[in-house]
Amino acid sequence: MICDDGTSYGNYVEPLTDLLFLNMADERRCSSYNQDSPELDSYGWPNLIQKDGDALFDHCRRTLEVLGNQKVLRGLIFNKSQNKFQDPAKLRRLIADLIDKETWVSMSADVKGDAYEGLLEKNAQDTKSGAGQYFTPRPLIQAIVDVMAPKPGETISDPACGTGGFLLAAHDYVVRHNPHLTKDQRRALKEETFKGWELVQATARLCAMNMLLHGIGSQDFEPIVVSDSLAADPGDRFDLVLTNPPFGKKSSTTIVGEEGTVSKERDIVERGDFWTTTSNKQLNFVQHVKTLLKQNGRAAVVVPDNVLFEGGAGETIRRKLLQECDVHTLLRLPTGLFYAQGVKANVLFFDKKPASETPWTKRLWIYDLRTNMHFTLKTNPLERKDLGDFVRCYLGLSLEEAAALREPGNPKRPALLTRLNRSPTWSIEPNTVAGTGPEGRWCCYEYEEIINRDKASLDIFWLKDESLEDSDSLPAPDVIAAEIVEDLEAALAQFREIANDLGVRAEEEA
């Protein structure tokens, strides 16, 4: 995907991030914020705005080198950053005609944050860059945060934060539904509430800037850690964990020997706090999320279908999760939501509980948003309203109560966030109860039913696929084509994993 000046969005976002930071630092130094930064004197905005041509390119290169070696937020923004513009005239135009003409510090966080989010989404649509793997559809994030309902004072984490979608949505939710936060609560929301981990340096940079533009973090406090979050237990515990871990099952490390021989070694995570050892990243993230939660902490994790039914380590983890946590809700997602194709995903909701001889999971409620639902990224994208019935069912609300929930100042809001009055919308007989019938998407399964299924599989569905019975019910041709592509991509990914495993085993036996 190319911008109007011929620069791809990926190449555009990185220098824009660096330049915005320098401009805002200068505005804060010159304004009532009175935040002086002596180390920026030689490399700050006033010197940059005076440069042009090759001198501009040279100055940018030195700026990135110097500031990239600094600590906390400034180091994260500039470390390993590169100026990917090929034409100094285009870079000069970005500096002088776009950034310098705005007063970014005084601009509303909603305005500048939304503008930056829009650029990140455009970048995610560039399938060749691979940026889509870090971008979770915002309507899905909003619905997840709406049912999780974070409160002031709660700590929130995303161990695979990408560009920060979950963290930002949680921040927006707290601010929107608590308009009278105290000064201490606002400070805590900015500097103590959120923490994210991101493996890719370039993505972490975008996340840090995204959060800064939305009013989270400061030069002395950076909530984003650049590291492999699965490598070890960080010791931190959180009230909420919201995450969409990277797609793909297994990982491996390429090793180049002294004589240039190349081999692969599977990355098997071995941790004392995990129930079992596996090279499946998604299963490891489920275990990691459980570790990160405080007692009675709440989690929402996007997982692919294989996490629901895979045997071996998968079965072990599901049985342990059902025993030690209250696994109360599963949302089956439709295809066509993610920029990375070939993904059939779900959202698993569970609460961590103290040790108990009896299982904490009593029943699992499942909402099927996949069967007979068809979305595409361009012609029929998912919208927040498409998840409205799920939110209502999750919270156990009537239509009137659901409408009241959307009112931030409604004093009845806390009483509506309990999950106490859930009732199924599916039944064998039509209209057994008002609002129920064979087409209902909300159904409940008891613990005994689940634990006695083959491999304790959570891959449960009950609705009939209309397209299999009636050719007139087939979706549009572009939707069918997109679903075929997704299925082929998923099959190819599985074949690659099998081939990699066979290659590793052959090298181990040689």
Side-chain angles (χ1 to χ4, degrees), residues 45-238:
W45 192 257
N47 279 334
L48 180 69
I49 195 68
Q50 297 175 15
K51 308 293 182 183
D52 202 351
D54 291 340
L56 175 60
F57 269 14
D58 290 341
H59 183 78
C60 285
R61 177 180 54 79
R62 291 196 301 271
T63 298
L64 296 179
E65 289 175 356
V66 172
L67 299 184
N69 290 323
Q70 296 185 8
K71 298 179 180 180
V72 198
L73 179 59
R74 194 173 295 126
L76 177 55
I77 293 290
F78 292 97
N79 186 29
K80 297 182 181 179
S81 183
Q82 298 177 354
N83 171 29
K84 296 182 180 179
F85 275 83
Q86 302 297 318
D87 184 351
K90 291 174 181 176
L91 178 59
R92 172 66 187 178
R93 197 181 332 158
L94 174 64
I95 293 171
D97 297 342
L98 176 61
I99 297 178
D100 194 56
K101 290 186 177 180
E102 298 288 346
T103 305
W104 296 92
V105 168
S106 61
M107 186 182 296
S108 164
D110 289 340
V111 174
K112 61 190 176 189
D114 288 349
Y116 194 76
E117 268 277 294
L119 192 58
L120 294 180
E121 183 165 12
K122 288 288 188 182
N123 188 36
Q125 294 170 4
D126 184 357
T127 56
K128 292 182 179 180
S129 73
Q133 64 181 304
Y134 309 114
F135 200 88
T136 306
R138 282 358 187 195
L140 174 59
I141 288 179
Q142 291 167 6
I144 291 173
V145 171
D146 283 346
V147 298
M148 296 295 283
K151 298 184 287 290
E154 291 186 320
T155 52
I156 304 168
S157 174
D158 183 346
C161 61
T163 53
F166 276 110
L167 302 178
L168 293 173
H171 174 272
D172 177 66
Y173 184 97
V174 173
V175 171
R176 181 159 39 93
H177 293 291
N178 299 275
H180 304 298
L181 293 172
T182 66
K183 183 178 180 180
D184 287 342
Q185 285 177 321
R186 290 188 177 277
R187 180 193 56 77
L189 194 62
K190 180 177 181 178
E191 299 187 350
E192 298 175 3
T193 298
F194 303 99
K195 188 164 187 178
W197 283 263
E198 172 52 45
L199 179 62
V200 181
Q201 171 76 39
T203 307
R205 176 185 304 117
L206 301 182
C207 181
M209 192 65 198
N210 203 9
M211 297 186 74
L212 183 65
L213 290 172
H214 283 85
I216 306 172
S218 66
Q219 173 52 34
D220 299 321
F221 171 75
E222 174 46 51
I224 307 303
V225 178
V226 184
S227 71
D228 180 359
S229 60
L230 293 178
D233 176 2
D236 299 321
R237 299 294 182 264
F238 302 90

Side-chain angles (χ1 to χ4, degrees), residues 454-476:
D454 181 37
K455 302 176 184 176
S457 172
L458 304 181
D459 188 30
I460 302 171
F461 47 90
W462 58 92
L463 295 175
K464 294 180 180 180
D465 189 335
E466 296 172 355
S467 65
L468 298 178
E469 300 182 356
D470 182 6
S471 59
D472 292 335
S473 298
L474 288 172

